[in-house]
Amino acid sequence: MGFLKLLDYVVSEHKVETLFNERYKNQLAPSFLIFDYFDTNELVLSGILADLLNPLGKHGQGEAFLKHFLNSLKLHETWEQIVLEKSHVTIRLEEQTHRSQTARRMDIFIEIKYNNQEFAICIENKPFARDQVDQLKDYAHELDQRYRHQWQIIYLNGQGNAPSSLSVSPELLTQWKDSNQYNEVSYADLIPWLDQCVFESKNPRVSAFLSEFKSYISKKFITSIDMNAQNIMVENILHNPDHLKAVIEVETLKRQVQNNLLSKLKKELEKLARESGYQVDGELNLNAHSAIFIYSDRNQEFQFCMEFDRGFYTGFFIGIMFRDFKNATPDKQQFEYLHHESQKKFSSLQIGKSIVWPAYLELSEYLNWNINGDIWLEIQNGTFSEKLFNYFQDFNEIIRSS
């Protein structure tokens, strides 16, 4: 069968790559990435992107990087008149929405003044975090008050998914798209832009940093396989008709394997919960906001939850959720208590909070199941269900104490 040959090929190539890298690691240093040595949270990534897009940025390459970025977007025709070399460009981080008084902060804000006209871009950077209620809607309201229709919202996220309907209604999102005022960009989409930046760069240190940034994005958001190995495999697949056909066919098999493993995970959680007197319902699947709940009483307001915030097994979170948020309002004091106690319990980790989650935890190694084969191996060998149930016990102790 074609896909079995393909699997053998990928495995053998990966083994060859591993042996090759091990033999020549002192020359190639294949595992060495600058980005492994500092925290790459949302603020750090926003800072990097803002500086690269800034014509006055430390890279010293002028308007070149911003020009290629704008050319990669679908913008309204009024933007075509802009000559960046004759424009005044301002880029700020955490720009406050002071005009609309919505107390928001835009991750990356770009203002371009050209020929007595003003244009603006808001980049909402969501590599890992969850959407907030009315977040994009409030940004658009602010931009419209400042710049009328000459604005653009870029929703930059890990996998190029659409924003949650909590952040902006599908109807309003469609309106923005029809007006060419909105772009969805994945981190993977940044790689062609970074390639252009490398080509434009006249400084070897800047070029080296851009290449490192590409490698980080590839490893974090696309696949854990080294970029050089990816290129070799893709090239060989494209030149082998059997492998090319198998790549297309194997996607269906992949989904079946994932569905079976997710079913296995739920059954193991049900067994662990039943042995301790708890119940499990819901399921994890390809859909955004698919979730599994564990609880002692179906009617309890706050329950332990694990959820994919986005589709295709991305944006995985665990924590305490106010389950009946559509029909009721949580007690504010209890809500704050759950967040405070969760932060105390997991003092070395950052506990998030949203309108329906008094406390949630993002485990960076489990955020994107779509590209991380190790997660599926943990499900297969049973260690992941035990790990999740241990988290449930910690969070449930906090729920019970409230």
Side-chain angles (χ1 to χ4, degrees):
M1 301 174 73
F3 59 80
L4 292 179
K5 290 182 179 178
L6 176 64
L7 289 175
D8 287 339
Y9 162 72
V10 172
V11 170
S12 64
E13 284 293 311
H14 194 53
K15 287 180 179 178
V16 169
E17 178 210 1
T18 301
L19 290 171
F20 183 82
N21 287 337
E22 182 64 27
R23 179 169 294 181
Y24 298 101
K25 65 182 180 182
N26 62 333
Q27 299 174 44
L28 301 175
S31 300
F32 182 82
L33 285 175
I34 292 174
F35 286 79
D36 286 339
Y37 290 90
F38 57 85
D39 188 8
T40 49
N41 59 36
E42 179 181 311
L43 290 176
V44 171
L45 293 175
S46 291
I48 291 171
L49 290 169
D51 193 66
L52 291 176
L53 292 170
N54 193 340
L56 300 178
K58 296 176 182 177
H59 51 77
Q61 308 303 304
E63 299 84 6
F65 296 170
L66 178 59
K67 183 182 295 184
H68 284 301
F69 184 74
L70 294 179
N71 288 339
S72 71
L73 302 174
K74 186 178 181 182
L75 300 170
H76 190 274
E77 59 185 15
T78 55
W79 290 69
E80 295 176 3
Q81 65 182 292
I82 297 174
V83 179
L84 284 178
E85 291 80 2
K86 298 180 179 180
S87 302
H88 182 267
V89 180
T90 303
I91 297 182
R92 291 189 289 270
L93 294 170
E94 300 292 300
E95 174 76 359
Q96 294 188 31
T97 55
H98 56 80
R99 188 74 67 86
S100 60
Q101 298 182 334
T102 52
R104 299 284 191 187
R105 292 179 182 271
M106 304 183 205
D107 292 330
I108 304 173
F109 174 75
I110 305 172
E111 182 183 70
I112 303 173
K113 295 181 180 180
Y114 173 72
N115 197 22
N116 296 319
Q117 294 188 70
E118 295 184 344
F119 302 80
I121 294 175
C122 165
I123 301 179
E124 176 57 14
N125 185 22
K126 291 286 188 187
F128 317 113
R130 303 170 63 89
D131 291 329
Q132 300 174 26
V133 175
D134 290 336
Q135 189 172 27
L136 292 186
K137 178 184 173 183
D138 288 345
Y139 291 155
H141 182 50
E142 174 76 14
L143 292 168
D144 219 31
Q145 289 199 38
R146 292 202 216 174
Y147 304 96
R148 297 193 178 181
H149 300 299
Q150 295 188 152
W151 53 264
Q152 172 81 197
I153 288 178
I154 299 173
Y155 186 71
L156 173 63
N157 65 93
Q159 295 299 310
N161 295 318
S164 165
S165 58
L166 291 173
S167 182
V168 58
S169 69
E171 294 77 18
L172 187 55
L173 192 62
T174 299
Q175 182 181 323
W176 294 347
K177 290 178 179 178
D178 291 343
S179 302
N180 288 336
Q181 291 178 294
Y182 173 82
N183 276 268
E184 282 166 18
V185 179
S186 72
Y187 266 79
D189 293 332
L190 295 179
I191 287 182
W193 168 63
L194 290 170
D195 282 332
Q196 292 175 316
C197 293
V198 170
F199 181 78
E200 289 282 352
S201 173
K202 303 297 190 294
N203 182 280
R205 286 183 297 137
V206 173
S207 299
F209 180 84
L210 293 168
S211 297
E212 283 289 321
F213 194 26
K214 277 176 51 185
S215 296
Y216 163 77
I217 290 173
S218 178
K219 181 179 178 181
K220 191 73 175 179
F221 300 103
I222 304 175
T223 175
S224 58
I225 301 175
D226 176 77
M227 283 192 71
N228 290 329
Q230 289 179 52
N231 293 334
I232 292 171
M233 289 182 188
V234 168
E235 190 66 23
N236 287 336
I237 287 170
L238 289 174
H239 286 84
N240 187 312
D242 291 336
H243 288 170
L244 179 59
K245 185 171 181 288
V247 164
I248 308 303
E249 293 174 344
V250 82
E251 185 66 21
T252 301
L253 183 64
K254 172 186 171 183
R255 297 296 178 217
Q256 291 176 359
V257 170
Q258 289 172 326
N259 287 340
N260 287 345
L261 288 172
L262 288 174
S263 177
K264 178 180 184 292
L265 175 63
K266 183 179 178 181
K267 288 177 181 178
E268 289 175 352
L269 288 172
E270 287 173 334
K271 182 176 182 295
L272 290 168
R274 189 167 55 250
E275 290 172 351
S276 301
Y278 296 99
Q279 303 175 57
V280 174
D281 74 8
E283 68 173 8
L284 295 174
N285 54 47
L286 273 173
N287 300 324
H289 305 299
S290 63
I292 286 179
F293 297 87
I294 307 178
Y295 50 84
S296 57
D297 180 358
R298 178 67 176 83
N299 295 319
Q300 69 186 73
E301 287 188 321
F302 293 97
Q303 300 177 8
F304 176 80
C305 177
M306 60 192 77
E307 177 187 280
F308 288 122
D309 186 48
R310 308 188 186 284
F312 294 94
Y313 313 122
T314 58
F316 183 71
F317 294 86
I318 61 174
I320 303 171
M321 184 180 184
F322 181 69
R323 190 162 183 182
D324 196 28
F325 65 91
K326 292 183 179 179
N327 305 309
T329 302
D331 179 82
K332 186 176 181 180
Q333 187 174 354
Q334 186 182 13
F335 204 88
E336 292 301 323
Y337 172 85
L338 291 169
H339 179 77
H340 180 263
E341 291 301 309
S342 296
Q343 189 62 76
K344 280 175 57 180
K345 183 72 174 180
F346 302 97
S347 57
S348 63
L349 301 171
Q350 181 64 43
I351 296 292
K353 180 173 66 172
S354 74
I355 193 170
V356 297
W357 293 73
Y360 66 81
L361 188 59
E362 55 178 46
L363 306 170
S364 59
E365 68 270 32
Y366 297 112
L367 274 175
N368 188 348
W369 297 23
N370 201 37
I371 64 170
N372 191 338
D374 291 336
I375 298 173
W376 300 99
L377 287 176
E378 285 190 36
I379 297 175
Q380 183 189 43
N381 63 33
T383 57
F384 194 54
S385 58
E386 294 177 359
K387 187 176 297 184
L388 288 174
F389 196 75
N390 287 336
Y391 276 115
F392 157 71
Q393 290 177 314
D394 288 337
F395 277 111
N396 192 56
E397 182 180 318
I398 298 169
I399 295 173
R400 292 176 63 184
S401 70
S402 68

